[in-house]
Amino acid sequence: MPKNTKVTQREHSNEPVTESVADLLSLEHPMDYKSSQMSMGLSPGSTAPVKALLPSPDPDAEDGRPAWNNKLEYILAQVGFSVGLGNVWRFPYLCQKNGGGAYLVPYFILLLLIGIPLFFLELAVGQRIRRGSIGVWNYVYPQLGGIGVSSLMVCGFVGLYYNVIIGWSIFYFFQSFQYPLPWAECPVQINGTQAIVEPECEKSSATTYFWYRQTLNITSSIDDTGGLNWKMTLSLLVAWILVCLAVIKGIQSSGKVMYFSSLFPYVVLFCFLIRGLLLKGAVDGIAHMFTPKLEKMLEPQVWREAATQVFFALGLGFGGVIAFSSYNKRDNNCHFDAALVSIINFVTSILATLVVFAVLGFKANIMNEKCVVENAEKILGYLSTGVLSKELIPPHINYSHLSAQDYAEMYTVIKTVKEDTFDQLGLDACVLEDELNKAVQGTGLAFIAFTEAMTHFPASPCWSVMFFFMLINLGLGSMIGTMTGITTPILDAFKIRKEILCVACCVIAFLLGLLFVQRSGNYFVAMFDDYSAGLPLTVVVFLENISVAWIYGTKRFMQDLEDMLGFRPYSFYYYMWRYVSPAVLVLLIVATVIEMAISPAGYNAWVEAEGSEHFLSYPPWALAMAYALIVAAMLPLPLVFLARHFNLISDGSNKLSVSYRKGMIKDISNLEEQDEQRFILSKNPSEAPSPMPAHRAYLGPGGTQEMTNTNYGTSTKTGYQNITSPESEL
């Protein structure tokens, strides 16, 4: 610095010196901002005064990033993404399997411990940094920038097979416009003068036959591809066209779609709930569902499955949550959003469970009555042939109006008297509880059990149309979030028109998705569902938690939230982020690995001759493909870490978003005002207050030591250029 400056004069004189930050910066040597880690968007060698870069009154006014039209669109988008098919066909199954009402206790506890805190974390970093998943984690900790790439990979894998399920729903939707429904009865083959029921259907059921044969036309193993199923191929094409139209304009188009796709499923669920409660046996189903089996709460498997369901129900790790929140203003109350969306998701799962088991209770009563009639006919045959004595039948039994209780009494008497030869009679107990315990999930619930129940509804085609239209909308809402998790990081990194990118992604995805519309495609859907997302996403969210809570620093992150929201979040989040959530995620990762190691790797294959499913192990090539999905999803994590550790690729920190740069400039402008006041009051540098705002101390990389800037040299690593950074301005 020249010797005649006011700073050097101040060092040799006791006279008050008035000097502004602008004066100091004007005397700095020119700096290569492009190569600087704290590039603020200035051209190389620019020495423009700081005041020329002061932000406009609205800090987001000059940010070219798209924004939500209103808060409702944003909330509906997050709800549409988190509330998906899993709420309808996965949660009820887990609830029934793991103790009924008792399952709700571990689920709710884990929702509080890992669900809401981690959901809040993703909302906060996305809103603060205003970038997609790749950009966000490049800023937080560049060495872990592979987190965003892994999220994008998982989104791609899930989107490929998830849209196939929407295609199945579209096929059933159009098949529902006929009476009777095509899956109501088994097809009949005419053989000369005889009418023969299709053997495969007779051995299974009408709805099962329609699903496996008429819809999927499935092969007997994954080795036999069977060629393309053209009906499913066309359905998949329609599904990708719908998704492309929904996301082609970014949030401007998807936000409008969410008004319908997020709200319509609730209308259908309430309609089904009201109709279901009026059906015979609905109360039996609901009572069975919520009867707590408290001993189940002591089983570790129940807690593991509850944690997994919480994890995936909120869409953590996919990047969609971060992408949606990145289009918010930086002062949006994302804490309220996290709690609201999580509660809506939980309530939706409960609502869907009520609907499912009201309908399945009705179906169980229908099947139990059918069982009673069939076995009563067997007993009448045994009575007429003398195999059974008429004295065994209680005198009050009326065969024309035989109730389940009367049959149970008759069954008990016969079983007691004919104990030695009872098994040869082939009589079933016909217990309603047994029917209710037949747990079904996924496609088995939506396309077999639920469709069979709807065939007994009055005006069944109408209910079928509503049900599958609801599934289409639930799937579409999740697919919009998944596609946003893919496109947003790419649009942040490259200058591409979003319309071209969306069309290109949909075309490529459709072509890759042809794997799932072969006749053996259902086996590949099961493979991708089991292997492509589970373990990789858990690892991704664990690293997200670690990078914020331990590398960046929980205290600094809490201070950032206070600056952004205007209030300090509860200390509860501090302990969850720093200790509880990482511990739970580690346990979940270990449990997942152990389960994969001890459980046989295979799939349920449909055997046409028997009309039933049988478990088959994956052949070597399929097993290699399954594990390759896990490796491909997690490979970006070590690759990016090593590449940046050895400086093989840029750390991305010199590509700050517009909102970032404005936040930094605002801090510098505040610093200038404090600097002027400091010298006017004739304070020595050692007595001067910290150049950071009074309520915030800049903490070092470890988050424990306060760093002050008293050296106004020309180094790019000190002075005012080090006031804020991607790591401190998260």
Side-chain angles (χ1 to χ4, degrees):
M1 185 176 293
K3 295 182 179 180
N4 58 349
T5 63
K6 295 180 181 179
V7 174
T8 55
Q9 292 175 8
R10 181 183 59 204
E11 294 177 355
H12 303 286
S13 173
N14 294 325
E15 297 179 4
V17 179
T18 303
E19 181 171 345
S20 69
V21 173
D23 294 330
L24 291 171
L25 292 179
S26 65
L27 296 172
E28 294 259 0
H29 293 298
M31 181 182 299
D32 184 2
Y33 288 97
K34 185 175 181 180
S35 62
S36 171
Q37 192 175 14
M38 298 309 302
S39 169
M40 299 192 299
L42 297 176
S43 59
S46 173
T47 58
V50 173
K51 289 186 178 181
L53 297 174
L54 290 178
S56 59
D58 182 2
D60 297 314
E62 296 176 7
D63 192 340
R65 192 170 189 79
W68 297 102
N69 291 327
N70 52 66
K71 183 66 173 284
L72 179 60
E73 272 190 15
Y74 166 67
I75 294 297
L76 290 178
Q78 292 285 13
V79 169
F81 177 52
S82 65
V83 175
L85 297 173
N87 297 76
V88 175
W89 68 27
R90 178 70 177 168
F91 184 88
Y93 161 76
L94 292 174
C95 204
Q96 179 190 22
K97 174 187 174 185
N98 296 315
Y103 173 75
L104 300 179
V105 176
Y107 182 87
F108 188 72
I109 291 174
L110 291 169
L111 180 65
L112 294 177
L113 295 183
I114 63 173
I116 296 178
L118 294 177
F119 191 60
F120 180 27
L121 184 146
E122 288 201 354
L123 291 179
V125 295
Q127 179 175 307
R128 177 66 171 175
I129 300 176
R130 294 174 63 79
R131 299 297 289 268
S133 57
I134 295 178
V136 160
W137 303 114
N138 278 341
Y139 290 151
V140 175
Y141 188 58
Q143 278 76 6
L144 288 180
I147 292 175
V149 183
S150 288
S151 293
L152 191 148
M153 294 287 291
V154 173
C155 278
F157 290 148
V158 172
L160 286 178
Y161 78 84
Y162 201 89
N163 219 28
V164 175
I165 302 174
I166 300 178
W168 294 340
S169 302
I170 291 172
F171 176 75
Y172 268 77
F173 173 74
F174 286 107
Q175 290 293 316
S176 300
F177 288 95
Q178 49 186 307
Y179 185 82
L181 292 170
W183 52 82
E185 298 178 354
C186 285
V188 177
Q189 297 178 349
I190 305 300
N191 186 7
T193 59
Q194 294 182 337
I196 303 174
V197 177
E198 176 65 40
E200 185 181 3
C201 184
E202 190 175 20
K203 293 175 182 177
S204 53
S205 67
T207 52
T208 304
Y209 174 81
F210 186 86
W211 167 243
Y212 283 111
R213 188 55 52 210
Q214 299 291 340
T215 303
L216 301 178
N217 194 19
I218 199 166
T219 58
S220 58
S221 72
I222 197 172
D223 287 307
D224 182 10
T225 61
L228 287 177
N229 181 338
W230 290 106
K231 291 183 291 186
M232 293 301 99
T233 303
L234 292 175
S235 299
L236 179 63
L237 178 61
V238 173
W240 276 114
I241 290 174
L242 289 177
V243 171
C244 188
L245 292 175
V247 301
I248 194 167
K249 292 291 185 180
I251 62 171
Q252 302 304 319
S253 58
S254 61
K256 302 297 185 295
V257 173
M258 286 298 182
Y259 279 109
F260 185 81
S261 65
S262 296
L263 295 176
F264 179 76
Y266 290 96
V267 175
V268 176
L269 284 175
F270 276 110
C271 290
F272 265 95
L273 179 61
I274 295 171
R275 184 68 187 92
L277 292 175
L278 298 176
L279 295 171
K280 179 183 178 182
V283 176
D284 295 328
I286 294 175
H288 174 78
M289 179 68 260
F290 288 102
T291 300
K293 302 177 182 64
L294 298 178
E295 65 278 3
K296 285 278 189 179
M297 292 178 59
L298 302 177
E299 298 179 8
Q301 177 74 4
V302 174
W303 289 82
R304 188 191 71 81
E305 293 191 345
T308 303
Q309 179 61 18
V310 168
F311 188 78
F312 290 106
L314 294 174
L316 299 175
F318 281 94
V321 172
I322 293 176
F324 280 150
S325 66
S326 71
Y327 298 114
N328 273 327
K329 292 185 177 181
R330 289 177 61 185
D331 60 351
N332 173 64
N333 189 349
C334 55
H335 175 259
F336 172 80
D337 300 341
L340 178 64
V341 174
S342 300
I343 292 172
I344 290 175
N345 189 291
F346 179 66
V347 172
T348 303
S349 298
I350 300 297
L351 175 62
T353 301
L354 286 172
V355 170
V356 166
F357 278 90
V359 174
L360 292 185
F362 165 71
K363 173 181 175 289
N365 270 269
I366 295 292
M367 300 305 295
N368 198 56
E369 290 176 359
K370 182 180 178 181
C371 177
V372 168
V373 171
E374 290 176 351
N375 284 272
E377 291 177 353
K378 289 183 182 180
I379 293 175
L380 285 174
Y382 293 144
L383 292 174
S384 62
T385 58
V387 176
L388 293 177
S389 172
K390 295 182 180 179
E391 296 178 356
L392 297 176
I393 309 302
H396 65 276
I397 297 296
N398 183 358
Y399 280 98
S400 60
H401 296 87
L402 187 64
S403 66
Q405 291 78 9
D406 291 340
Y407 174 77
E409 182 180 352
M410 189 166 54
Y411 176 86
T412 303
V413 172
I414 296 173
K415 184 176 182 179
T416 303
V417 176
K418 296 286 185 178
E419 184 176 358
D420 296 334
T421 59
F422 181 77
D423 292 339
Q424 300 175 5
L425 299 177
L427 297 177
D428 296 322
C430 298
V431 179
L432 181 63
E433 189 78 8
D434 294 339
E435 287 292 335
L436 291 171
N437 282 330
K438 292 180 179 178
V440 288
Q441 65 165 324
T443 55
L445 174 63
F447 299 106
I448 298 177
F450 219 86
T451 52
E452 184 175 352
M454 287 188 294
T455 59
H456 302 287
F457 282 17
S460 55
C462 176
W463 292 101
S464 183
V465 167
M466 290 177 61
F467 176 72
F468 289 108
F469 194 43
M470 177 191 73
L471 292 187
I472 293 171
N473 281 275
L474 284 173
L476 186 61
S478 297
M479 275 302 299
I480 289 174
T482 301
M483 289 296 293
T484 305
I486 296 173
T487 58
T488 297
I490 297 175
L491 291 172
D492 287 342
F494 304 100
K495 298 297 183 181
I496 306 174
R497 288 189 58 185
K498 60 173 72 78
E499 294 86 352
I500 296 176
L501 176 62
C502 289
V503 171
C505 287
C506 291
V507 170
I508 294 173
F510 170 73
L511 295 176
L512 295 176
L514 295 178
L515 172 70
F516 306 102
V517 291
Q518 302 174 101
R519 291 180 58 195
S520 60
N522 188 47
Y523 304 138
F524 289 99
V525 170
M527 176 195 292
F528 272 64
D529 190 37
D530 291 338
Y531 290 92
S532 68
L535 182 60
L537 274 185
T538 312
V539 173
V540 162
V541 177
F542 171 72
L543 292 177
E544 288 180 359
N545 195 168
I546 292 299
S547 63
V548 171
W550 287 91
I551 297 176
Y552 176 72
T554 313
K555 291 182 179 179
R556 296 166 62 195
F557 186 56
M558 293 287 283
Q559 183 61 59
D560 288 335
L561 290 175
E562 183 176 356
D563 295 342
M564 185 169 67
L565 303 177
F567 63 91
R568 191 174 187 84
Y570 301 114
S571 299
F572 164 82
Y573 291 105
Y574 174 88
Y575 296 104
M576 292 300 104
W577 286 329
R578 192 162 181 84
Y579 304 111
V580 179
S581 295
V584 173
L585 288 171
V586 168
L587 291 176
L588 186 57
I589 292 171
V590 172
T592 303
V593 172
I594 292 175
E595 185 189 20
M596 291 177 62
I598 64 177
S599 299
Y603 61 103
N604 291 318
W606 178 254
V607 181
E608 180 178 354
E610 300 178 9
S612 61
E613 287 184 330
H614 286 270
F615 183 83
L616 295 179
S617 297
Y618 281 123
W621 67 267
L623 189 61
M625 180 178 179
Y627 287 119
L629 292 173
I630 299 176
V631 173
M634 297 176 62
L635 194 59
L637 297 170
L639 287 183
V640 173
F641 181 86
L642 292 174
R644 286 186 171 151
H645 180 74
F646 293 104
N647 298 320
L648 299 179
I649 60 175
S650 169
D651 64 4
S653 61
N654 62 333
K655 299 178 181 179
L656 299 178
S657 64
V658 175
S659 58
Y660 243 16
R661 295 195 298 268
K662 291 180 178 179
M664 293 159 52
I665 296 166
K666 183 177 180 180
D667 282 343
I668 292 178
S669 66
N670 292 337
L671 171 63
E672 180 178 359
E673 294 175 1
Q674 294 180 9
D675 191 53
E676 290 179 351
Q677 295 173 3
R678 179 181 62 192
F679 288 119
I680 290 174
L681 295 175
S682 303
K683 291 187 177 181
N684 295 326
S686 59
E687 300 171 348
S690 169
M692 294 301 293
H695 65 281
R696 177 178 180 179
Y698 175 76
L699 303 180
T704 58
Q705 289 185 328
E706 182 175 342
M707 295 175 61
T708 58
N709 293 299
T710 58
N711 181 10
Y712 300 127
T714 59
S715 171
T716 60
K717 298 297 183 181
T718 58
Y720 294 114
Q721 297 298 325
N722 196 34
I723 292 169
T724 58
S725 69
E727 290 77 11
S728 66
E729 274 294 332
L730 198 149

